[in-house]
Amino acid sequence: MGNRTVRELKPNIYFIGAIDWDRKLFDELIPLPDGTSYNAYLIKGGEKIALMDTVDPTKTDVLIGNLVKAGVEKIDYVVAHHAEQDHSGAIPDILLLYPDAKVVAAARCREMLIDLLNISEDKFITVDDGRTLSLGDKTLQFVHTPWVHWPETMCSYLQEDKILFPCDFFGSHLAASGLFVDNEALVYEAAKRYYAEIMMPFRTAIQKNLEKVKQLDIEMIAPSHGPVYDKPDFIMSAYKDWVSDAVKNEVVLPYISMHDSTGKMVEHFVDALIERGITVRQFNLAVTDIGELAMSLVDAATIVLGSPTVLAGPHPKVAYAAILANALRPKTKFASIIGSYGWGGKMVEQLKGFIPNLKVEILSPVIAKGCPKDDDFTALEKLADEILARHRRLGIAD
Ligand code: FEO
């Protein structure tokens, strides 16, 4: 089920993918508050026809319906930029329908497609970085861009039309009826969420790939999720900011409180940070959308975890937030832990052990026995002072 949405980007270049308004979770992990789309594109060259990626297997019927609607009787090339199934999953069905089609992919992507989808080896044309493929009056140039999002990823650049097809790179999980970005603020939020959840762990690789694609003369970016950028400067400059080494005068504070001891500490600590001119993003992990938490980690200089002690360790929801932050590898510079305990435990040691990937300086934890007392509030003020001093040293706080 799905919309039949064949729309023209430029003459003989069409969006032919699927909008998924109802999907609310990706990888059974990532919330999709705005749905998503799986963007496949059709390029009709003077001699050859290329399909740029396919769709998630749940939307194969939509892709095939669109191909029928567009009257596509032959496909010469299926360009596979990325082996993940939300783009490659319909390739086997496309090869059944168009048995003469060849799958064009980087060598590593070819291996992965064979592993993941059992596509036969003779179906492939492998392309090196920089190679071109003529469709007649249109020329595809392949640009290898590993780690946006897996190691095999590449982009295509359609030279005559100056369109970049970067697959996940620059994408956004956003179901929208418009073909092009028509609300930059809305797309900025969705693209930043997408960057935080999908791309941030590969930030340094993305820095290099951003420089690489910037060498091309790009008039349009047609990603594999979300609207097409007909003014690409907007998303290119957002990525430049997100992947930069600079952090902002911000503290991210994910926490849980069961009987309000940690809650009182969080309240006091947040007030102390605000008084010092530091931006705070506070997340009650009992109800928070982890995508919002991930987005806040894109820029923040400091993360502070707040947890009670449960069965001698951190609350499991705080442990989960720590493991998630560790996996996302934000550029955060400082970390600390605040919280409470009843009779003992190893909450601080365990939380520290969950974040080895964060290249952070750990600042003095503040842990209260039972409900927080004057000494604990004083220690929280000192921690706020420590954070301000560190931020000032980086030149990001007044
Ligand atoms: Fe949209 Fe990495 O797949």
Side-chain angles (χ1 to χ4, degrees):
M1 169 183 157
N3 318 82
R4 299 287 181 266
T5 47
V6 176
R7 285 165 295 166
E8 194 175 61
L9 278 72
K10 284 196 176 188
N12 292 319
I13 305 164
Y14 304 90
F15 173 99
I16 203 157
I19 303 169
D20 198 339
W21 301 95
D22 295 333
R23 189 160 181 180
K24 292 298 168 207
L25 206 56
F26 201 86
D27 289 346
E28 306 302 351
L29 170 70
I30 297 169
L32 302 180
D34 304 312
T36 191
S37 64
Y38 317 108
N39 302 351
Y41 301 94
L42 189 80
I43 304 174
K44 289 184 174 173
E47 293 169 14
K48 304 285 185 183
I49 296 179
L51 176 64
M52 311 300 277
D53 294 310
T54 65
V55 295
D56 189 87
T58 57
K59 295 291 181 190
T60 301
D61 61 327
V62 175
L63 175 61
I64 291 173
N66 284 344
L67 288 165
V68 170
K69 187 176 173 181
V72 178
E73 291 180 356
K74 70 152 191 167
I75 290 175
D76 298 285
Y77 306 118
V78 181
V79 177
H81 296 106
H82 178 24
E84 192 165 11
Q85 291 88 334
D86 54 326
H87 311 294
S88 67
I91 293 177
D93 285 314
I94 294 296
L95 294 177
L96 284 174
L97 273 177
Y98 300 93
D100 294 331
K102 293 287 187 192
V103 179
V104 178
R108 189 135 189 213
C109 187
R110 171 182 181 272
E111 279 172 40
M112 292 174 79
L113 289 170
I114 292 168
D115 289 342
L116 294 170
L117 297 170
N118 284 321
I119 297 172
S120 107
E121 294 187 13
D122 62 359
K123 287 289 184 185
F124 286 90
I125 296 171
T126 55
V127 286
D128 295 330
D129 188 22
R131 176 166 162 193
T132 57
L133 181 67
S134 174
L135 306 179
D137 55 345
K138 294 185 187 295
T139 312
L140 285 168
Q141 176 183 340
F142 303 107
V143 184
H144 287 202
T145 48
W147 299 109
V148 293
H149 146 225
W150 285 358
E152 85 299 3
T153 43
M154 72 171 187
C155 303
S156 295
Y157 176 65
L158 191 58
Q159 292 176 340
E160 293 76 5
D161 295 277
K162 301 182 177 176
I163 303 177
L164 185 73
F165 296 91
C167 202
D168 280 349
F169 201 8
F170 306 118
S172 61
H173 281 312
L174 179 62
S177 61
L179 176 61
F180 297 108
V181 172
D182 57 8
N183 180 337
E184 286 193 350
L186 181 74
V187 176
Y188 180 92
E189 283 294 299
K192 187 171 186 181
R193 173 184 281 265
Y194 187 87
Y195 168 81
E197 294 164 334
I198 310 290
M199 298 290 168
M200 188 159 62
F202 314 113
R203 187 174 66 89
T204 50
I206 294 169
Q207 284 174 343
K208 294 187 192 104
N209 285 319
L210 194 58
E211 286 306 311
K212 191 168 182 181
V213 298
K214 273 167 69 181
Q215 307 308 313
L216 302 164
D217 180 12
I218 298 169
E219 284 184 358
M220 190 180 286
I221 296 178
S224 62
H225 297 287
V228 173
Y229 301 94
D230 52 353
K231 299 182 188 75
D233 286 352
F234 148 63
I235 192 66
M236 300 278 267
S237 66
Y239 258 75
K240 188 176 168 212
D241 178 30
W242 299 335
V243 303
S244 77
D245 295 330
V247 287
K248 295 186 176 155
N249 183 25
E250 294 176 7
V251 171
V252 176
L253 177 45
Y255 78 101
I256 284 281
S257 186
M258 299 191 300
H259 300 293
D260 207 28
S261 293
T262 302
K264 285 191 174 77
M265 297 176 74
V266 165
E267 207 171 72
H268 189 95
F269 183 54
V270 168
D271 286 348
L273 292 168
I274 291 171
E275 281 164 12
R276 286 160 179 77
I278 298 170
T279 301
V280 189
R281 304 196 190 280
Q282 177 183 324
F283 296 96
N284 180 350
L285 293 167
V287 293
T288 206
D289 166 348
I290 60 162
E292 296 281 338
L293 173 60
M295 279 171 77
S296 74
L297 291 169
V298 170
D299 307 306
T302 300
I303 180 170
V304 177
L305 299 164
S307 179
T309 303
V310 182
L311 302 173
H315 190 287
K317 283 183 183 287
V318 182
Y320 174 69
I323 291 168
L324 180 71
N326 187 61
L328 294 175
R329 296 171 183 253
K331 56 191 174 188
T332 313
K333 307 279 188 214
F334 312 105
S336 191
I337 297 160
I338 64 174
S340 56
Y341 69 100
W343 54 89
K346 294 191 180 303
M347 187 259 283
V348 168
E349 293 79 354
Q350 288 187 16
L351 281 177
K352 280 186 192 168
F354 288 144
I355 53 172
N357 291 340
L358 302 190
K359 303 301 174 210
V360 289
E361 178 189 354
I362 303 276
L363 308 179
S364 323
V366 181
I367 309 299
K369 185 168 191 296
C371 72
K373 318 290 185 310
D374 286 349
D375 286 355
D376 302 308
F377 291 127
T378 303
L380 287 169
E381 297 279 341
K382 274 185 67 182
L383 177 58
D385 283 337
E386 259 190 278
I387 291 170
L388 179 62
R390 296 302 192 284
H391 287 198
R392 278 182 174 153
R393 204 181 293 164
L394 290 178
I396 57 173
D398 296 332

